[in-house]
Amino acid sequence: MRSKSLALIAASTGLALAMTACGANTSTGGTDTSGTNTSSASGGGEKVGVILPETKSSARWEGFDKPLLEAALKAEGLDADIQNAQGDVQKFSTLADGMINAGVKVLIIATPNSEVGASVAKKAQSQGIAVIDYDRLNLGGTSDYYVSFDNEKVGELQGQGLVDGLAALAPGKKPAEVIEIEGAPTDNNATLFYNGQQKVLKPKYDSGDLKLVQSQPIPDWDNQQGGVTFEQILTGNGQKVDGVVAANDGLAGAIITVLKKYGLNGKVPVTGQDATPEGLQAVMRGDQFMTVFKPIAEEAQAAAKLAGALAKGDTAAADALATGSVEDSKAGRTVKSVLLEAQTITKDKVKTVVDAGFVKAGEICGGDLAAVCTELGIK
């Protein structure tokens, strides 16, 4: 996997788009009678369909990706239909069929799993519709482009975050006992996060600096199941743990709830990802050691610019944007990609996320965190 900076994405629009997401932790669109969140961002141009995967595991899809994609696609002069499959693969397929029948020129998909994504891409492409995998690569698929972050690098940041957290909270302890709570095994991103983590952690397991108690993927990124699974592993290990790899902030929150039950919160470094308001608050309280900030505004802009080029049939312009690539091992092909950079956020860097307009100070600075925000210069 390789990544280059997205120099062609206009920085001047980034802040405006990021501000669109501020404070949005629930859907800004309407809700149809089936309970599917929908929205339309009409730029008066070619039709583009966007299907997001779910809302259960993370607030990002409706709170951030959706409004940012709305704004970015409208800025490209596109007529966008954005809907959410709510984790239902059949609904995902039905939504895709509707968009294909409506004559979209481009389909942007973030799928619950690779199988449904590959199926939808094949069907769309048979109708001459370009397909962009958004955030999650559909292994074994045929999508034309992929827009995401360098997700293996995200995993490396999590692995290093755990190592740094152990150095701060359990200095000199060997072996430090680690539990890994990973994402859905059907999500290729979860695999990439894990691979990146292991680049940092496996040498330390092998040397005896760290001891892996257990590594467990969580189906559907289900936070509740993640918490239950973690507690089972923790109690099975005599309620002992020195550090926890949590694949995202939702899972981290469930793990922290369990740690509080056993009086271990703040004593055990926990990783995370997505820089959600809840995750940032946990970092400021010291219950979570770090999260990973992925500037979704850039991801939305990249997808919109690709869609704009493809809607015009300008593959040369699309290729000029997709300067990276990833390998689809299942399909045996190289996928043209836009791969963006992520950033580690520890307590001293929470202000970075606020300054970027990703969250508002008011979302994270209330109650017991008012003094912490003042100390960190967050206003």
Side-chain angles (χ1 to χ4, degrees):
M1 179 183 296
R2 63 181 187 275
S3 171
K4 297 183 180 179
S5 62
L6 191 62
L8 296 177
I9 299 298
S12 61
T13 62
L15 181 57
L17 288 172
M19 291 302 291
T20 306
C22 291
N25 292 312
T26 57
S27 171
T28 57
T31 302
D32 66 18
T33 56
S34 67
T36 301
N37 291 311
T38 65
S39 68
S40 178
S42 177
E46 300 287 2
K47 293 180 179 179
V48 174
V50 181
I51 313 178
L52 300 175
E54 44 87 19
T55 57
K56 185 176 180 180
S57 73
S58 177
R60 66 163 287 188
W61 299 112
E62 290 294 304
F64 297 103
D65 294 85
K66 181 177 178 179
L68 289 167
L69 283 163
E70 285 176 343
L73 290 164
K74 185 174 182 179
E76 291 297 314
L78 299 168
D79 184 3
D81 178 14
I82 303 177
Q83 302 196 43
N84 194 304
Q86 298 297 341
D88 186 328
V89 294
Q90 183 57 53
K91 181 176 288 187
F92 195 98
S93 295
T94 301
L95 290 172
D97 288 343
M99 292 177 180
I100 292 169
N101 293 334
V104 298
K105 294 289 185 180
V106 182
L107 194 58
I108 300 172
I109 55 174
T111 61
N113 62 53
S114 290
E115 288 74 16
V116 69
S119 175
V120 163
K122 185 176 180 180
K123 185 180 295 185
Q125 289 167 321
S126 72
Q127 300 299 314
I129 299 169
V131 181
I132 300 170
D133 281 350
Y134 180 80
D135 200 72
R136 298 172 174 180
L137 179 67
N138 292 302
L139 290 177
T142 57
S143 295
D144 303 281
Y145 296 91
Y146 172 52
V147 176
S148 190
F149 295 88
D150 186 338
N151 290 309
E152 196 163 291
K153 180 63 176 179
V154 170
E156 289 184 53
L157 295 179
Q158 292 176 321
Q160 189 59 51
L162 181 73
V163 170
D164 294 344
L166 287 168
L169 298 178
K173 181 168 184 182
K174 293 185 181 181
E177 297 187 64
V178 174
I179 297 172
E180 298 175 351
I181 301 297
E182 303 292 352
T186 54
D187 181 355
N188 184 56
N189 279 5
T191 300
L192 295 175
F193 300 147
Y194 174 80
N195 290 345
Q197 294 161 11
Q198 297 313 302
K199 283 187 176 181
V200 178
L201 299 179
K202 190 175 185 304
K204 295 188 177 297
Y205 292 141
D206 292 344
S207 70
D209 288 346
L210 303 180
K211 176 185 176 182
L212 178 61
V213 177
Q214 189 171 331
S215 182
Q216 184 63 50
I218 303 300
D220 302 321
W221 291 89
D222 187 304
N223 297 331
Q224 182 176 0
Q225 185 171 345
V228 170
T229 300
F230 172 72
E231 184 166 15
Q232 290 171 343
I233 297 170
L234 178 66
T235 56
N237 197 48
Q239 301 176 15
K240 295 185 298 180
V241 65
D242 298 302
V244 184
V245 174
N248 71 359
D249 288 350
L251 291 170
I255 288 163
I256 289 165
T257 297
V258 176
L259 291 174
K260 286 179 178 179
K261 179 178 176 180
Y262 294 94
L264 296 172
N265 60 301
K267 303 174 184 178
V268 174
V270 179
T271 70
Q273 178 198 179
D274 288 336
T276 63
E278 296 80 8
L280 293 171
Q281 288 179 318
V283 169
M284 288 194 292
R285 289 190 179 101
D287 291 333
Q288 184 172 325
F289 187 76
M290 59 83 72
T291 185
V292 178
F293 174 40
K294 300 185 295 187
I296 297 172
E298 294 180 20
E299 188 177 23
Q301 290 172 62
K305 287 187 175 294
L306 271 178
L310 293 170
K312 298 173 185 174
D314 191 347
T315 55
D319 289 348
L321 289 167
T323 56
S325 66
V326 297
E327 297 302 317
D328 180 346
S329 57
K330 187 173 181 179
R333 70 186 189 109
T334 300
V335 185
K336 297 175 183 178
S337 307
V338 178
L339 300 174
L340 303 161
E341 295 297 326
Q343 179 181 352
T344 297
I345 300 297
T346 46
K347 182 178 178 179
D348 60 322
K349 294 181 180 177
V350 171
K351 187 175 184 292
T352 302
V353 185
V354 179
D355 289 346
F358 191 70
V359 297
K360 288 181 179 178
E363 289 181 88
I364 62 174
C365 289
D368 63 313
L369 291 173
V372 178
C373 283
T374 299
E375 174 191 342
L376 296 175
I378 300 173
K379 300 178 181 178

